[in-house]
Amino acid sequence: MTVALWRDEYRTGHDTIDQQHRDLFTQVNQLYAMTQAEPQDNAAIRAQLTEFAALAIAHFDLEEALMIQHDYPNFEVHFKTHRALVNKVQALLEKPDHSLDELPAEVTQVLADWMVHHIRGEDQQMIRFLQERSAVAMVGG
């Protein structure tokens, strides 16, 4: 079952960011499938969470570098939403293996909902700003 369904409406128009978003959706779907398996494989879940965190951090690093490079006015708010998600995933990773038995499928739904909300809100707003800034720079250049 797919808990995080990629839709074209989530596209930002930045090819690298859009591919990273799709990769994050794939990671969440794989994690969801693992939470549904019987018996649950805690080592595999931990590895999947670790991979999700690494991809999310790399993705956030790219977005944050673009925001800094272009003096994005909502950088602090956007940055804080990134850190909040990373902190949630890190808190899950700090749990002992046996507590991952209790990792509910709802966690993956929360991740999926967060990504959709974040992409449709902050990310698309940021990319529009960067595109407008680039258009102004090209016209002025």
Side-chain angles (χ1 to χ4, degrees):
M1 179 178 172
T2 300
V3 70
L5 181 63
W6 174 260
R7 300 175 191 268
D8 280 342
E9 68 193 62
Y10 304 154
R11 290 190 64 232
T12 64
H14 188 287
D15 291 341
T16 303
I17 287 175
D18 287 338
Q19 183 58 54
Q20 289 175 341
H21 285 160
R22 284 190 290 274
D23 292 344
L24 289 167
F25 273 65
T26 298
Q27 292 293 317
V28 168
N29 287 324
Q30 290 172 347
L31 183 60
Y32 178 77
M34 290 175 178
T35 65
Q36 301 304 295
E38 289 293 332
Q40 222 172 270
D41 182 347
N42 291 339
I45 288 173
R46 182 174 301 284
Q48 191 69 33
L49 273 171
T50 300
E51 188 171 341
F52 175 85
L55 284 171
I57 289 168
H59 169 66
F60 295 159
D61 286 349
L62 171 61
E63 285 187 357
E64 290 160 10
L66 287 170
M67 287 186 277
I68 289 169
Q69 178 184 354
H70 296 282
D71 265 344
Y72 183 58
N74 294 327
F75 173 79
E76 287 299 321
V77 171
H78 203 132
F79 176 81
K80 286 178 183 177
T81 63
H82 287 170
R83 289 305 131 231
L85 181 66
V86 169
N87 290 341
K88 285 180 186 180
V89 174
Q90 291 295 347
L92 288 172
L93 287 169
E94 290 172 6
K95 292 182 176 222
D97 275 346
H98 67 275
S99 69
L100 291 178
D101 285 334
E102 301 155 14
L103 183 70
E106 288 83 25
V107 168
T108 56
Q109 185 64 55
V110 167
L111 292 174
D113 291 347
W114 185 93
M115 288 188 313
V116 167
H117 175 77
H118 184 73
I119 290 167
R120 292 185 77 190
E122 287 103 346
D123 283 357
Q124 288 182 346
Q125 178 183 0
M126 178 217 21
I127 293 298
R128 276 193 304 274
F129 173 85
L130 298 179
Q131 289 170 336
E132 290 168 7
R133 188 138 211 177
S134 294
V136 168
M138 290 182 350
V139 170

